Amino acid sequence: QVRERLKQQVAEMKEKFPGFRPGLAILQVGNRDDSNLYINMKLKAAAEIGISANHIKLPNTATEADVLKCIASLNGDPAVHGFIVQLPLDSDKPINTEKITNAVAPEKDVDGLSSINAGKLSRGDLGDCFIPCTPKGCMELIRQTGIQVAGKRAVVIGRSKIVGAPMHDLLLWNHATVTTCHSKTSTLAEEVGKADILVVAAGKAEMVKGEWIKPGAIVIDCGINHVPDSTKASGKRVVGDVTYSTAKEKASYITPVPGGVGPMTVAMLMQSTVESAQRFLEKFQPGKWNIQYNQLTLKMPVPSDIEISQSYIPKAIDQVAKEVGLLPDEVELYGQTKAKVHLSALKRLKNQPDGKYIVVTGITPTPLGEGKSTTTVGLVQALGAHLHQNVFACVRQPSQGPTFGIKGGAAGGGYCQVIPMEEFNLHLTGDIHAITAANNLVAAAVDARIFHELTQTDEALYNRLVPSVNGVRKFSDIQIRRLQKLGINKTDPAALTKGEVNLFVRLDIDPGTITWQRVLDTNDRFLRKITIGQSPTEKGFSRMAQFDITVSSEIMAVLALSDGLDDMKKRLGRMVVASSKRGEPITADDLGVTGALAVLMKDAIKPNLMQTLEGTPVFVHAGPFANIAHGNSSVLADKIALKLVGKEGFVVTEAGFGADIGMEKFFNIKCRYSGLRPHVVVLVATVRALKMHGGGPAVTAGVPLPKEYMEENLQLLAKGCSNLNKQIQNARMFGVPVVVAVNAFKTDTKAELALVVQLAKEAGAFDAVECTHWAEGGKGAVALAQAVQRASQTPSNFRFLYNVELPVIDKIRLIAQQIYGARDIELLPEAQEKVALYTKQGFGNLPICMAKTHLSLSHDPEQKGAPTGFILPIRDIRASVGAGFLYPLVGTMSTMPGLPTRPCFYDIDLDPVSGAVNGLF
């Protein structure tokens, strides 16, 4: 009856909450036969009822620490509602059973063995605790007789923590008069004779005689004992603690052994699990996070970004992780405010449906930027803290170059920030430093290999590359891969011919083709061109080289586009660093450095978890350049976030620069590799930038805005909306609805903001909304969030702009004509040579990542608005084969920024007493 009732309750849960199932975990240590039997009974019952049961089996070599770690993981798993530790613990190591049972979270302790649940039972808090399953089953059997417990005299024989003691408390709080007997009770028969209700759990075969029992008593026998019986094949039979043959003549009701209390104990375990699941559903709506949001106290005028950031105390990051459904063993804490998330979370959540995928981009910006990061944070704060949707922001990690240079930080601004913003803008968890180390290891390997090949014979090179260790020579795995690439299918170093040895040891790198540069995460213009190898120890081998800024490293792009450790390792191995003198590409794998790079990057591949001012979660992961790379945060962060938010949730990510650059690459590169499909484009526009596109004076960082930007000018604004129109068309070209976010500044008039909204809708935007989130936090972006919600429910007919199988020139031409508005392209001689080279080397089918100015739709930063009819010059083409794209160079640009006359670091300081960071980011 109990099982049928529970089965019906579970079916009702599933109907009300599709996809939900009560979850039971059974943790076993060792391999005892009796434990295996009991566990199989529980698993069978769970399957019959519809409970999702998980049997976790630790070996008998498990230590107490192993068991506690497993318990901590199960305590944090939201899919586990009931959790038992199968006793006894069958381990070779000493384990404190009391410590283990008390480690189980009380709200999941369906065995009722923790001290907290036992204490609540002893105090009579029956509705707020779990009762051990055997006493609970006994009580259910007593109720089934129809006899009132209240006022009856009850005797419990035995005082164990599992049966006797909790049975006493349970009868007491059901208003029976209870006596507990035990091994020291001298008048046991006399006490038994007084009992209206007798519960026996002494563990002694047939110790209670039938003649002791009061006529008409209810007898519950919890004992399981084995006695000799020559008639049985096993030579023994099972009996209880009561002499059944005589007791049944006196009792009105009696439980048989076996087959009485045992099945009820299992049924009560199932009932407690279902009760726990019901409590979970009352507290947490499936698919909805139970998240604590921070209330903002807005000030006018709006204080500095760092002042705002430091005025709010972030939630402990492990609390944020728990709120969004991450398990404790999936989170690696880096202090109180940031953490790394293990990729095991994605594996665990692989069958979960994805949420809605939103990309924030912008019109062609001024050098000051138009607030994409601020809008991204404002939108997630509005969706989460104000509309109570599951929502994640996924943003890039900023480089320290701009932070200390001219731009400052990238944590958002005003009341829409990722906090702590000084942690966000500085080292974070060291990912960029890991990329610096990995990149420079490759650079060192390139020059070292050239040096060693110039100064050694084939034989000497071979002896050093494949040394004899304890008399044995052996190829490493990466060397086997190189041999296979060369078509040499041999694994014995002694078997190679002289010609094969020559091919193996000589990469024969052409120094003039080296494309791999050293990197540093600091703006330093004097490293743009350097001479290396000037020490006498380099024996005259010197060459011109350069430093780039770390975020321009191909390894950063690899990190951003990888979908796992294995994929990252393969991409790292494919990275082309130079060509041989025969014109063949030389890869990181050829240098033998792939495994070492993967080791350096093994932690960097884990997304970083932070939070916004209003307490919504943020993944900060990867920060590739938006010109020579694709300018988007990591695929992995997006994928994990989409699983965590669930089907009705939202993931908001940001694409670097304007829609013609970051958004185009988001679609054609990131979405192509990730397989993810966006639902909505949020296009950020400002009156300031649109006036500039209408012919307004130049906007320069550090210089006050000209009066044209401070006064109403609808004619100038309307003319500049040509850029807005074009960027809306660019987004719609990919089949995705566009919502325009008009980021309002205090100098904008109502008429100007209304005009932008009107013209955006006329240009084909799904909606256009005025936003005041910089000054008001999420509240100022609620209308934007509601528009995004509506747009996400419309069909998204996403499509790529081009087929990667097209010739390289055709792909470049499509981007130039369709996205930029060019009449045609012109390839300069060096670019033509590269097209031929990369096509010959087999890289012609890679996507295109255009490297051009972000200050114009054209190649000329002075051309504003929406220019047409121009010829786009392609100066050169380079390959990021590991990341997976070719990047044509349009015009000139530096991958190592310089410091301005007055860098941002003038305003940054440290309080020596508190350790707080002061100044402007």
Side-chain angles (χ1 to χ4, degrees), residues 312-543:
Y312 290 89
I313 299 174
K315 294 179 289 187
I317 201 64
D318 57 345
Q319 178 186 336
V320 177
K322 184 177 181 181
E323 287 174 342
V324 302
L326 289 165
L327 307 185
D329 59 0
E330 293 170 345
V331 180
E332 191 175 327
L333 301 181
Y334 278 64
Q336 293 296 308
T337 58
K338 53 190 187 288
K340 280 199 164 290
V341 174
H342 291 251
L343 305 190
S344 58
L346 185 58
K347 184 178 180 181
R348 173 176 65 87
L349 297 166
K350 65 181 179 180
N351 294 323
Q352 290 286 103
D354 287 344
K356 304 291 176 60
Y357 197 26
I358 316 299
V359 61
V360 176
T361 184
I363 62 170
T364 305
T366 69
L368 305 179
E370 309 317 307
K372 290 196 311 296
S373 298
T374 305
T375 301
T376 298
V377 176
L379 175 56
V380 298
Q381 289 183 169
L383 283 165
H386 298 269
L387 299 181
H388 305 292
Q389 302 295 307
N390 293 358
V391 62
F392 239 107
C394 292
V395 299
R396 289 185 292 168
Q397 179 184 355
S399 164
Q400 286 180 183
T403 296
F404 290 115
I406 193 169
K407 182 178 180 291
Y415 287 101
C416 297
Q417 297 186 50
V418 181
I419 59 171
M421 61 103 79
E422 59 270 37
E423 296 285 342
F424 175 92
N425 284 313
L426 295 176
H427 308 281
L428 198 57
T429 57
D431 295 351
I432 291 180
H433 301 316
I435 291 166
T436 302
N439 183 98
N440 292 343
L441 180 62
V442 177
V446 170
D447 289 309
R449 189 58 178 259
I450 294 172
F451 172 79
H452 290 307
E453 288 187 22
L454 284 172
T455 57
Q456 297 182 55
T457 64
D458 289 358
E459 184 180 358
L461 283 168
Y462 194 52
N463 287 338
R464 288 182 170 88
L465 286 169
V466 193
S468 175
V469 179
N470 296 325
V472 178
R473 295 185 79 180
K474 184 181 177 183
F475 291 121
S476 66
D477 290 344
I478 201 165
Q479 289 175 327
I480 292 288
R481 288 204 298 273
R482 169 144 178 83
L483 288 168
Q484 291 170 344
K485 180 180 177 180
L486 294 169
I488 302 171
N489 297 312
K490 296 177 181 178
T491 56
D492 180 2
L496 268 63
T497 66
K498 284 187 176 182
E500 290 169 339
V501 167
N502 175 267
L503 282 174
F504 174 74
V505 301
R506 297 207 175 270
L507 299 180
D508 211 16
I509 295 170
D510 180 353
T513 67
I514 295 173
T515 55
W516 197 269
Q517 309 298 344
R518 288 162 174 82
V519 298
L520 185 70
D521 195 36
T522 302
N523 288 3
D524 191 346
R525 66 193 315 127
F526 290 94
L527 293 176
R528 289 172 179 170
K529 285 294 177 188
I530 59 172
T531 304
I532 61 172
Q534 297 207 25
S535 168
T537 55
E538 273 50 78
K539 301 181 181 180
F541 171 67
S542 64
R543 67 179 182 89

Side-chain angles (χ1 to χ4, degrees), residues 538-566:
E538 273 50 78
K539 301 181 181 180
F541 171 67
S542 64
R543 67 179 182 89
M544 292 294 293
Q546 68 187 60
F547 269 82
D548 295 336
I549 198 158
T550 298
V551 291
S552 70
S553 169
E554 184 178 351
I555 295 177
M556 177 63 90
V558 165
L559 174 67
L561 289 169
S562 296
D563 68 3
L565 273 169
D566 185 57

Side-chain angles (χ1 to χ4, degrees), residues 309 585 722 824 853 873 893:
S309 174
S722 61
D824 206 348
T853 178
M893 63 190 64

Side-chain angles (χ1 to χ4, degrees), residues 213-282:
I213 295 171
K214 180 180 179 180
I218 298 170
V219 179
I220 308 292
D221 188 352
C222 302
I224 298 180
N225 309 283
H226 294 89
V227 296
D229 188 339
S230 58
T231 65
K232 302 291 183 183
S234 62
K236 56 187 178 181
R237 60 187 170 90
V238 176
V239 298
D241 292 351
V242 179
T243 308
Y244 182 79
S245 59
T246 54
K248 69 178 181 178
E249 303 300 328
K250 300 281 289 287
S252 58
Y253 295 91
I254 185 169
T255 57
V257 178
V261 172
M264 281 302 293
T265 298
V266 175
M268 291 301 104
L269 173 63
M270 300 302 122
Q271 181 167 307
S272 291
T273 302
V274 172
E275 288 171 359
S276 182
Q278 288 170 332
R279 292 177 191 176
F280 175 84
L281 291 174
E282 289 170 7

Side-chain angles (χ1 to χ4, degrees), residues 812 827-835 838 873-878 887-891:
I812 297 172
L827 269 67
L828 302 184
E830 194 168 356
Q832 293 176 16
E833 291 173 9
K834 291 293 179 62
V835 168
Y838 293 144
I874 309 299
R875 178 171 59 85
D876 193 6
I877 302 175
R878 294 178 186 168
Y887 59 99
L889 302 180
V890 180

Side-chain angles (χ1 to χ4, degrees), residues 124-146:
D125 298 334
L126 304 189
D128 188 35
C129 71
F130 284 112
I131 299 163
C133 298
T134 298
K136 189 174 183 177
C138 293
M139 203 68 211
E140 185 69 23
L141 286 166
I142 293 167
R143 287 195 191 100
Q144 288 291 322
T145 67

